Amino acid sequence: MNNNCIWCNITESEKKYLLVNSRYWNVFLADKQDYIGRCILVLKRHCESLAQLNGEEWAELKSLVEKLEVVITKSLGANMFNWSCLMNDFYKSETPNPHLHIHVRPRYNSPITINGKTYNDEEYAHHYDNHKQNKLTESEKETIYNLIKEVLDV
Amino acid sequence: MNNNCIWCNITESEKKYLLVNSRYWNVFLADKQDYIGRCILVLKRHCESLAQLNGEEWAELKSLVEKLEVVITKSLGANMFNWSCLMNDFYKSETPNPHLHIHVRPRYNSPITINGKTYNDEEYAHHYDNHKQNKLTESEKETIYNLIKEVLDV
């Protein structure tokens, strides 16, 4: 627990889109749904880098990678995934205080329809567009959350 | 071994920039040195995704993440790292045949000097620029390779 870290001080009300609460990790549906079903895996412990994960945290990460790929494929129809651990934003500070998190962007070779609206992965088979805006309304985000959660909880 | 896969059929002459040859992984200094010291970790076995790594491959990946972060920090002065597992290019094909590989881009908050020439990480603390061109001549790339290799082999 680090007093100056946003992830160490996340409040219950900010956990609305928590998908998985495992021993060492929280998985949230990301605020920015530029790629439908995008999630963020946040280590519960304050830790600076991938290299500093301990053996148990690393092992649990693997089981989460497997679970998320299966569940998002089943629930949303993603057919491949972009994983990244970047941490750049923390280094904008003069005294960086990084907290390990990992992004996963599901990618789609076919359109996906949510609440009657159809979305395409325009950059499919290319690098994700880092400047892409959020595509979903709040209620569509809730739908996506419920679709993933439903398969997760089976 | 997959007959139609470039990584399964890599030739000895293409291994000039091989840095680490471990039990399950090869680590190469990347052809494109857009970020100085950029490496690519290639699984020796043909495997489609991060989720499909087995336990031993996953454990060895962790030890390589640790080793590369320490060695590239010592040899080149990187102060943080961007890790990614994307695999997009394979999906341009109508019959994708992905072979698991992971990118690591070292990032620098200070200039780095190679053979008397100075390089800056212009996007430091921001997302890497995916359209950035290779910055190094062949001889500078050899210098970088030797600097990393020297620390690796200690």
Side-chain angles (χ1 to χ4, degrees), chain A residues 1-16:
Chain A
M1 170 88 189
N2 181 299
N3 286 339
N4 299 315
C5 169
I6 46 159
W7 284 115
C8 285
N9 290 284
I10 192 165
T11 61
E12 285 310 308
S13 67
E14 289 168 320
K15 291 186 179 172
K16 178 176 174 191

Side-chain angles (χ1 to χ4, degrees), chain A residues 53 58 62 92 125 127-128, chain B residues 53 58 62 92 125 127-128:
Chain A
L53 286 176
W58 182 252
K62 177 61 161 61
K92 290 182 174 71
H127 197 286
Y128 58 80
Chain B
L53 286 176
W58 182 252
K62 177 61 162 59
K92 290 182 174 69
H127 197 285
Y128 59 80

Side-chain angles (χ1 to χ4, degrees), chain A residues 49-51 53 58 61-62 65-66 69 80-89 91-92 107 124-128 130, chain B residues 49-51 53 58 61-62 65-66 69 80-89 91-92 107 124-128 130:
Chain A
S49 72
L50 216 50
L53 286 176
W58 182 252
L61 175 59
K62 177 61 161 61
V65 167
E66 291 173 22
E69 289 208 358
M80 55 91 69
F81 296 85
N82 293 165
W83 292 90
S84 62
C85 180
L86 304 177
M87 314 280 283
N88 296 307
D89 279 351
Y91 290 83
K92 290 182 174 71
R107 307 295 304 267
Y124 180 73
H126 295 265
H127 197 286
Y128 58 80
N130 190 48
Chain B
S49 73
L50 216 50
L53 286 176
W58 182 252
L61 175 60
K62 177 61 162 59
V65 168
E66 291 173 21
E69 290 208 358
M80 55 90 71
F81 297 84
N82 293 166
W83 293 91
S84 61
C85 180
L86 304 178
M87 313 281 284
N88 296 307
D89 279 351
Y91 290 83
K92 290 182 174 69
R107 307 295 304 267
Y124 180 73
H126 295 265
H127 197 285
Y128 59 80
N130 190 49

Side-chain angles (χ1 to χ4, degrees), chain B residues 75-116:
Chain B
S75 55
L76 305 179
N79 72 302
M80 55 90 71
F81 297 84
N82 293 166
W83 293 91
S84 61
C85 180
L86 304 178
M87 313 281 284
N88 296 307
D89 279 351
F90 288 105
Y91 290 83
K92 290 182 174 69
S93 161
E94 278 187 24
T95 51
N97 187 26
H99 184 124
L100 189 77
H101 62 278
I102 292 167
H103 303 274
V104 57
R105 290 171 175 84
R107 307 295 304 267
Y108 301 85
N109 63 357
S110 306
I112 162 170
T113 301
I114 310 147
N115 298 352

Side-chain angles (χ1 to χ4, degrees), chain B:
Chain B
M1 171 89 187
N2 182 298
N3 286 339
N4 299 316
C5 169
I6 48 160
W7 284 115
C8 286
N9 291 284
I10 192 166
T11 61
E12 284 309 308
S13 68
E14 290 168 319
K15 291 187 179 172
K16 179 177 174 192
Y17 290 109
L18 181 65
L19 283 164
V20 181
N21 173 4
S22 66
R23 184 156 180 196
Y24 301 111
W25 298 85
N26 280 324
V27 182
F28 298 92
L29 187 67
D31 287 343
K32 185 176 169 185
Q33 288 293 299
D34 46 356
Y35 292 87
I36 311 299
R38 177 176 173 175
C39 293
I40 179 162
L41 292 74
V42 184
L43 188 71
K44 291 183 177 180
R45 174 174 74 87
H46 192 77
C47 168
E48 293 209 351
S49 73
L50 216 50
Q52 289 170 38
L53 286 176
N54 68 37
E56 291 190 9
E57 292 160 347
W58 182 252
E60 199 181 80
L61 175 60
K62 177 61 162 59
S63 73
L64 290 172
V65 168
E66 291 173 21
K67 186 181 275 189
L68 289 168
E69 290 208 358
V70 168
V71 165
I72 298 175
T73 299
K74 272 196 193 166
S75 55
L76 305 179
N79 72 302
M80 55 90 71
F81 297 84
N82 293 166
W83 293 91
S84 61
C85 180
L86 304 178
M87 313 281 284
N88 296 307
D89 279 351
F90 288 105
Y91 290 83
K92 290 182 174 69
S93 161
E94 278 187 24
T95 51
N97 187 26
H99 184 124
L100 189 77
H101 62 278
I102 292 167
H103 303 274
V104 57
R105 290 171 175 84
R107 307 295 304 267
Y108 301 85
N109 63 357
S110 306
I112 162 170
T113 301
I114 310 147
N115 298 352
K117 243 160 90 182
T118 297
Y119 293 92
N120 289 295
D121 180 344
E122 294 91 352
E123 298 82 23
Y124 180 73
H126 295 265
H127 197 285
Y128 59 80
D129 174 3
N130 190 49
H131 299 291
K132 197 164 176 168
Q133 297 302 303
N134 174 49
K135 291 188 138 196
L136 300 187
T137 64
E138 197 62 21
S139 94
E140 287 163 349
K141 196 176 153 189
E142 279 175 24
T143 301
I144 292 295
Y145 176 83
N146 290 331
L147 286 169
I148 298 175
K149 196 76 181 143
E150 212 168 276
V151 179
L152 259 177
D153 293 347
V154 166

